[in-house]
Amino acid sequence: MILENIKYGRIRHLTLLDPEKNGPDNVEGVVEFINRSGSDAIMVGGSTNTGPKAVDDLVGGIKRLTKKPVILFPSSPEAFSPRADAIFYLSLLNSSSLKYVVGYQVQSARLLKKSRMEVISVAYLVFEPGMTVGKVGGAQLIGRKDIETALDYAAAAELIGFHAIYMEAGSGAPQSIDPSVVKAVCEDMTIPVIVGGGIRDPDTAKKMLKSGAAAVVTGTVAEKDPAILGNIVSAIKT
Ligand code: 1GP
């Protein structure tokens, strides 16, 4: 079970691959780096609407190259592949658009119930600067140091019954969420907290885990500087 593995520290680092930038024909190099780095799982998704073919082709391509679990991180119900091991069933709690809070969940629920995929319900919280997901998702961005608002959302996520929380600053963010916010939220939570967006060096990644995050996500480093990916994963695991 992927959720259990996140909860009990067996999945501590996830690498995000965007189907818009990666396809079955060019993914070999990056998956080789992921395999070598020791990253524990691969998330497939992006902020822009990606069709099922691009997602399924990428999942299939990844599956041929690694045994690591593949988790869908969908921008819409279209971004689905039955070949993935699990899906982050996202509710963007701080979106001003009902579609991202619950509409997409309603559209995909029956299909997911029928599939044999592990469905992990995730309260998705987008912080400043938010980048593309902040804009596309209509997020009322939470300040990167705004502990009180983060605690409000996280407590609501726990009481509503989400399996996990994903707090992120947006892919490509120049700065991650402040570790003080991660610490305050994690101290108050019984469900695992995953952190991503703007994490580009081993020190920041380690700080997130020391602050109580169950796992961190990196995307941009795998595309821009795969060598750093190995350093980040090593730092997390020591
Ligand atoms: C986005 O956290 C991921 O959900 C990846 O962010 O590309 O900034 O690493 P980066």
Side-chain angles (χ1 to χ4, degrees):
M1 288 274 287
I2 286 167
L3 177 62
E4 296 289 295
N5 287 337
I6 293 172
K7 209 167 175 175
Y8 296 112
R10 293 185 288 265
I11 292 180
R12 304 213 87 192
H13 181 273
L14 303 101
T15 305
L16 175 69
L17 294 181
D18 188 339
E20 229 184 349
K21 297 176 195 150
N22 300 280
D25 303 330
N26 70 352
V27 80
E28 194 171 340
V30 71
V31 174
E32 201 183 306
F33 273 116
I34 293 169
N35 280 334
R36 266 197 261 148
S37 73
S39 180
D40 302 303
I42 299 174
M43 282 160 62
V44 168
S47 309
T48 40
N49 208 349
T50 319
K53 187 173 180 330
V55 173
D56 189 54
D57 284 351
L58 179 56
V59 171
I62 294 167
K63 285 275 175 197
R64 276 195 292 278
L65 299 163
T66 187
K67 291 195 168 65
K68 292 181 191 294
V70 176
I71 306 167
L72 298 174
F73 178 59
S75 54
S76 79
E78 294 278 288
F80 183 74
S81 163
R83 292 192 274 181
D85 300 285
I87 182 166
F88 284 155
Y89 188 48
L90 301 169
S91 178
L92 208 176
L93 282 193
N94 60 320
S95 172
S96 53
S97 162
L98 200 56
K99 175 170 89 174
Y100 291 103
V101 182
V102 73
Y104 279 164
Q105 290 184 319
V106 172
Q107 270 184 48
S108 54
R110 289 169 73 199
L111 171 77
L112 290 176
K113 268 176 65 121
K114 272 191 212 137
S115 79
R116 305 210 335 228
M117 192 173 291
E118 180 180 349
V119 178
I120 301 168
S121 67
V122 173
Y124 189 18
L125 304 180
V126 179
F127 288 69
E128 284 172 353
M131 310 306 284
T132 309
V133 69
K135 286 193 196 88
V136 173
Q140 293 172 315
L141 299 173
I142 304 169
R144 63 179 291 278
K145 292 189 177 177
D146 184 351
I147 289 175
E148 289 303 313
T149 307
L151 282 173
D152 286 344
Y153 274 107
E158 189 179 61
L159 292 185
I160 291 168
F162 285 97
H163 295 138
I165 297 175
Y166 181 35
M167 307 201 304
E168 78 144 317
S171 183
Q175 249 187 325
S176 66
I177 298 167
D178 197 80
S180 63
V181 174
V182 176
K183 187 164 187 289
V185 168
C186 294
E187 273 171 3
D188 205 44
M189 282 305 117
T190 57
I191 53 175
V193 175
I194 303 164
V195 180
I199 300 173
R200 273 192 260 303
D201 62 86
D203 191 43
T204 308
K206 203 160 183 166
K207 268 189 198 147
M208 296 305 181
L209 292 172
K210 279 205 166 141
S211 304
V216 299
V217 181
T218 63
T220 302
V221 284
E223 284 154 19
K224 293 212 170 132
D225 197 347
I228 292 185
L229 183 64
N231 297 341
I232 289 177
V233 179
S234 307
I236 286 173
K237 298 199 174 183
T238 50

